[in-house]
Amino acid sequence: MALPQAKLDATETRLAAMALPSGGAWITAARDAALARVREMGLPGRRDEYWKFTRPDTLVEPQAPKAALFSHDEGMPFDDMDRVRVVFVDGVFDAAASDDLTAAGIEIERLETAAAQDIHWARDLYGVLEEKGQYPVMRPLAALNTAYATDGVVIRVTGKAEKPVSLIYRHASETSDAILHHVIKLEEGAELTVLENGPAAARFNKVMEVEVADNAKFHHVRTQGRDHERRAATHIFARLGTESVFKSFTMTVNGVLTRNECVIELTGDDAVAHVAGAALGDGDFHHDDTVFITHDAVNCESRQVFKKVLRNGATGVFQGKILVQPGAQKTDGYQISQSLLLDDDSNFLAKPELEIYADDVACSHGSTTGAIDEDMLFYLRARGVPLKKAQDLLVLAFLAEAVEEIEDEPLRDHITIRLQGWLERHSH
Amino acid sequence: MLEIKNLHVQLEEEDKKILKGVDLVVEPGKVHAIMGPNGSGKSTLSYVLSGRDGYEVTDGTATLDGEDLLEMEPEERAAAGLFLAFQYPVEIPGVGNMTFLRTAVNAQRKARGQEEMSSTEFLKVIREKAKELKIDAEMLKRPVNVGFSGGEKKRNEILQMAMLEPRMCILDETDSGLDVDAMKLVSDGVNALRDAGRGFLVITHYQRLLNHIKPDVVHIMSDGRIVKTGGPELALEVEENGYADILGEVA
Ligand SMILES: Nc1ncnc2c1ncn2[C@@H]1O[C@H](COP(=O)(O)OP(=O)(O)OP(=O)(O)O)[C@@H](O)[C@H]1O
Ligand SMILES: [Mg+2]
């Protein structure tokens, strides 16, 4: 089907402003195929159903809108943790600021190095899960990423990784436009935790493809914050094998535009996928969680837990779907999206969806919008807790169900402290 | 210490008068009881004193040690030493009982310019007091009042009171929902706090509680006013004959 002229023009205008990176043979083929996908789908436009609640304009236009750099005294997330640091500045790998990757105890390479060699497992994944995730809903920004990503890492883990891999995205230029693509493969029984933090760039497009083989466990904890004017469109594509575990948690504070898509396919029996998010937004904050989980095996469990606290006109979006394919019996699917609106100006837009083609499943979903409970607030104050502190306690309590999805206790506490810190810096 | 003069209160949302001129003075060291038919305004009085939204004071005053309570925020009243044991304690999912109490204790200390309690000291004190009220450690870890039985919630109120050591304690039907043993525990908890500097206002429907917590003065409230004041014998009279006689008498 031919694209509408406006979409075609917008797409070609953007593509004309970019250059395909050069690289090794296999990656060139993957990039060309991805570029063809972009041309076929066209970049997202305001009229697209999947972008009904979030305007894609600034993510699509040729130039990244400017984003000022902010600094404050709070230390960087995960600072006190033992981890393998991989630093990108405005989307470019910074070897000097990173830890020695050869000493990490796992296979970890820069994308361009992997591209120059014939690393078959990277070749077999790069753009592959992304392409698969284009159906039944198109995600053109992810295809754009596969075509144009200039940097990223490829990681392969065969055993239990000793330390988390910590991807740190520094933002240095007010006009930077960064595209990163990571490929992560957990072989059978492997375990890995990936941490991500940092504003990354004025505009950030990131894809992470994760293959979790049988019995492997993948944990992901991400914080997105700081520079308020930054914009980001991120995608996670994951494929889960038998009895594997995938758990991802994202904390988002600040940011005029964040769209986090997470596309998960449970392909092996007894697999578990949890995706959670806690977002705190103030003012012209726009935050969109778009999740699509496909159950294609027996006895799998999936959970989506998304909480957003919005004030001063902030907007939160949740589009979440559970698709249960024929034969995916005994599926246990749970989805909850909730917002706490601290004033009348803020907005929460939710589209929870269930599509079920198997008869022996237990799926539930719910979405709520509410304000701080006055009775709870009074009870706390009547015991002497000052108003602001009482509100913060109730906000943290509201977020707790999402934060509790982080399995590792020190990480969970760390995130709670970050959330507290943000609340303390923001007055109601 | 607590002085209420000619207090008139109506609802903020609708034109409904609830308190119609309450006069009451609780002296330090004394226990005052308030009894009265359902809907006479007892809980409303306790809420207005502790600063809950939704009520409008149209006339009268309420002071604690000479300070105007009605001008203060709820947390300021608490720091000034006022405590309300709620008729219906609120459940707060996601906020741990311990975190809540420690935050409250330290917030009050801070407001009074006192040093905060260390977590070790706090743990020690709360364990002792919880034990006296037969509240087990597991309950302390749970979210505030969530999944607590009616009686457990009431005991939790008394635990909070014991930790906060307020100067003026208002107990709104703390006895309702308690079994005989729990009634004894709660009364012992209250009696342990009785001293020369502390005042109590005990709202109850039953004389039974007043056998355990011996009041100095008993008031009968009806239709937003204190209509009769007397000694402990007044509670016995209510127990035996109901309110009809008393109300008939004052009408
Ligand atoms: N927020 C409110 N909205 C509507 N009516 C109210 C509200 N608060 C109190 N009232 C009314 O005011 C009156 C007094 O209520 P209150 O709860 O103070 O009575 P009470 O003496 O404590 O009764 P009980 O013995 O049943 O606990 C009742 O008629 C009640 O319905
Ligand atoms: Mg009452």
Side-chain angles (χ1 to χ4, degrees):
Chain A
M1 202 180 73
L3 295 178
Q5 194 60 41
K7 192 184 262 286
L8 189 69
D9 291 346
T11 304
E12 290 306 327
T13 309
R14 175 73 188 273
L15 296 182
M18 303 171 83
L20 271 189
S22 55
W26 68 263
I27 206 164
T28 304
R31 281 170 176 153
D32 289 345
L35 181 58
R37 281 200 288 286
V38 176
R39 290 213 148 97
E40 200 186 308
M41 297 185 273
L43 290 171
R46 224 183 283 181
R47 298 236 168 77
D48 297 1
E49 178 65 20
Y50 216 43
W51 290 85
K52 193 165 68 179
F53 300 136
T54 297
R55 285 177 63 157
D57 312 41
T58 54
L59 297 171
V60 169
E61 65 193 33
Q63 290 295 322
K66 254 186 155 180
L69 308 176
F70 279 91
S71 63
H72 54 71
D73 311 335
E74 200 193 16
M76 292 299 235
F78 315 124
D79 255 3
D80 49 354
M81 286 179 195
D82 192 17
R83 61 204 166 125
V84 181
R85 284 171 304 172
V86 184
V87 178
F88 297 88
V89 180
D90 289 322
V92 181
F93 177 68
D94 183 341
S98 302
D99 289 324
D100 179 4
L101 301 187
T102 58
I106 51 175
E107 284 176 52
I108 172 166
E109 300 267 12
R110 207 175 159 184
L111 180 64
E112 76 174 19
T113 317
Q117 303 162 10
D118 192 18
I119 301 182
H120 64 93
W121 59 266
R123 184 195 61 207
D124 292 347
L125 269 182
Y126 188 89
V128 172
L129 296 187
E130 173 262 300
E131 185 184 3
K132 196 130 195 304
Q134 298 294 351
Y135 183 82
V137 190
M138 293 186 292
R139 306 170 199 283
L141 290 172
L144 183 79
N145 178 300
T146 301
Y148 290 94
T150 41
D151 222 323
V153 282
V154 300
I155 301 172
R156 180 169 166 267
V157 189
T158 50
K160 190 171 187 286
E162 265 172 46
K163 297 179 192 177
V165 171
S166 180
L167 304 171
I168 299 162
Y169 307 123
R170 294 195 185 137
H171 176 201
S173 147
E174 289 195 348
T175 53
S176 54
D177 195 10
I179 306 184
L180 292 181
H181 194 118
H182 309 304
V183 170
I184 299 170
K185 179 156 193 183
L186 279 81
E187 299 287 1
E188 208 176 315
E191 287 179 34
L192 175 70
T193 296
V194 168
L195 309 173
E196 291 184 283
N197 73 277
R203 180 166 71 183
F204 189 35
N205 179 329
K206 192 205 66 187
V207 165
M208 186 155 90
E209 294 177 286
V210 190
E211 168 99 65
V212 191
D214 298 353
N215 294 302
K217 289 192 174 73
F218 179 72
H219 292 271
H220 174 233
V221 176
R222 153 169 76 170
T223 67
Q224 299 173 304
R226 297 216 176 216
D227 306 5
H228 181 64
E229 292 169 358
R230 65 169 182 80
R231 284 154 212 276
T234 79
H235 290 80
I236 296 172
F237 296 94
R239 182 162 63 193
L240 275 65
T242 304
E243 286 181 39
S244 67
V245 173
F246 172 99
K247 289 192 179 176
S248 171
F249 170 88
T250 301
M251 157 184 157
T252 309
V253 298
N254 309 331
V256 288
L257 181 56
T258 308
R259 161 99 158 195
N260 293 328
E261 295 193 29
C262 189
V263 184
I264 300 174
E265 221 195 334
L266 297 127
T267 61
D269 295 348
D270 305 301
V272 173
H274 291 192
V275 204
L280 286 168
D282 194 346
D284 56 346
F285 169 92
H286 184 104
H287 184 265
D288 175 334
D289 281 301
T290 291
V291 181
F292 198 110
I293 298 184
T294 305
H295 282 260
D296 208 0
V298 174
N299 203 31
C300 292
E301 175 195 310
S302 71
R303 272 175 78 82
Q304 301 173 41
V305 182
F306 288 88
K307 304 266 188 162
K308 298 182 204 288
V309 179
L310 306 166
R311 76 171 70 142
N312 294 326
T315 302
V317 173
F318 175 77
Q319 304 189 102
K321 179 156 181 169
I322 307 174
L323 170 62
V324 181
Q325 297 285 29
Q329 302 297 3
K330 309 275 181 212
T331 287
D332 177 1
Y334 174 76
Q335 182 197 86
I336 183 100
S337 63
Q338 295 182 308
S339 72
L340 186 64
L341 304 183
L342 299 180
D343 52 50
D344 296 337
D345 303 330
S346 302
N347 275 302
F348 179 56
L349 306 158
K351 191 179 174 198
E353 282 182 285
L354 287 178
E355 196 177 327
I356 301 175
Y357 297 104
D359 51 15
D360 184 15
V361 302
C363 286
S364 64
H365 67 163
S367 181
T368 64
T369 295
I372 283 198
D373 185 298
E374 288 299 326
D375 288 335
M376 295 183 193
L377 195 63
F378 175 62
Y379 191 74
L380 293 170
R381 296 177 74 193
R383 295 296 176 255
V385 181
L387 176 62
K388 173 71 170 74
K389 180 83 194 162
Q391 284 170 330
D392 289 356
L393 272 177
L394 293 176
V395 167
L396 282 176
F398 167 78
L399 296 173
E401 187 189 0
V403 177
E404 275 156 21
E405 286 293 326
I406 304 171
E407 223 174 82
D408 182 72
E409 199 180 318
L411 266 176
R412 196 165 61 228
D413 293 346
H414 182 77
I415 291 295
T416 303
I417 290 166
R418 306 288 308 182
L419 291 168
Q420 253 160 359
W422 189 89
L423 286 169
E424 274 156 25
R425 286 193 305 274
H426 287 72
S427 55
H428 289 274
Chain B
M1 88 192 301
L2 177 67
E3 255 183 77
I4 303 166
K5 280 190 202 143
N6 192 32
L7 192 63
H8 284 72
V9 170
Q10 65 180 44
L11 292 177
E12 231 163 45
E13 299 277 301
E14 50 185 295
D15 187 19
K16 181 173 172 179
K17 297 183 170 49
I18 301 178
L19 299 184
K20 302 169 182 173
V22 173
D23 287 288
L24 183 70
V25 177
V26 180
E27 311 82 2
K30 300 288 185 206
V31 175
H32 286 233
I34 298 189
M35 303 181 83
N38 293 129
S40 54
K42 305 180 297 294
S43 293
T44 302
L45 175 65
S46 72
Y47 286 144
V48 170
L49 292 176
S50 47
R52 187 187 179 142
D53 278 345
Y55 305 100
E56 191 188 334
V57 176
T58 51
D59 203 0
T61 58
T63 58
L64 182 65
D65 300 323
E67 280 190 83
D68 185 359
L69 277 177
L70 305 177
E71 279 297 304
M72 297 184 213
E73 296 295 334
E75 54 268 36
E76 293 169 339
R77 304 181 195 203
L82 187 77
F83 180 90
L84 167 63
F86 284 61
Q87 180 172 4
Y88 304 108
V90 181
E91 298 190 8
I92 313 183
V95 177
N97 220 3
M98 286 278 223
T99 313
F100 159 58
L101 255 176
R102 202 168 73 220
T103 309
V105 167
N106 282 334
Q108 290 202 14
R109 289 187 164 224
K110 203 171 152 196
R112 294 190 208 113
Q114 296 164 343
E115 208 171 309
E116 296 194 0
M117 217 188 222
S118 74
S119 39
T120 358
E121 192 190 347
F122 176 83
L123 267 177
K124 202 179 127 233
V125 179
I126 196 168
R127 283 208 183 111
E128 262 167 37
K129 307 212 168 183
K131 204 170 151 205
E132 282 163 17
L133 287 158
K134 295 225 164 74
I135 291 174
D136 59 41
E138 191 263 337
M139 249 172 81
L140 291 178
K141 282 188 210 140
R142 290 202 332 234
V144 180
N145 294 325
V146 176
F148 288 25
S149 74
E152 286 170 345
K153 284 180 184 163
K154 296 301 178 76
R155 273 186 277 153
N156 200 28
E157 294 290 291
I158 301 305
L159 174 66
Q160 292 171 29
M161 187 169 86
M163 290 302 296
L164 294 167
E165 301 183 326
R167 306 202 38 244
M168 179 64 224
C169 311
I170 305 173
L171 279 67
D172 191 358
E173 292 195 31
T174 302
D175 52 337
S176 62
L178 292 182
D179 64 36
V180 185
D181 296 335
M183 171 101 74
K184 178 98 180 38
L185 281 176
V186 162
S187 309
D188 289 348
V190 172
N191 289 329
L193 283 170
R194 283 181 79 159
D195 71 29
R198 189 169 281 135
F200 287 88
L201 190 58
V202 179
I203 298 168
T204 183
H205 285 295
Y206 306 105
Q207 141 70 20
R208 199 167 49 150
L209 178 72
L210 304 179
N211 282 337
H212 296 287
I213 306 170
K214 299 248 161 25
D216 299 291
V217 185
V218 176
H219 308 274
I220 307 296
M221 185 175 236
S222 168
D223 193 24
R225 283 188 200 94
I226 305 277
V227 294
K228 189 163 184 178
T229 296
E233 73 287 348
L234 199 50
L236 287 168
E237 198 184 321
V238 168
E239 181 88 351
E240 292 204 354
N241 308 324
Y243 292 110
D245 289 0
I246 298 171
L247 299 186
E249 199 178 293
V250 296

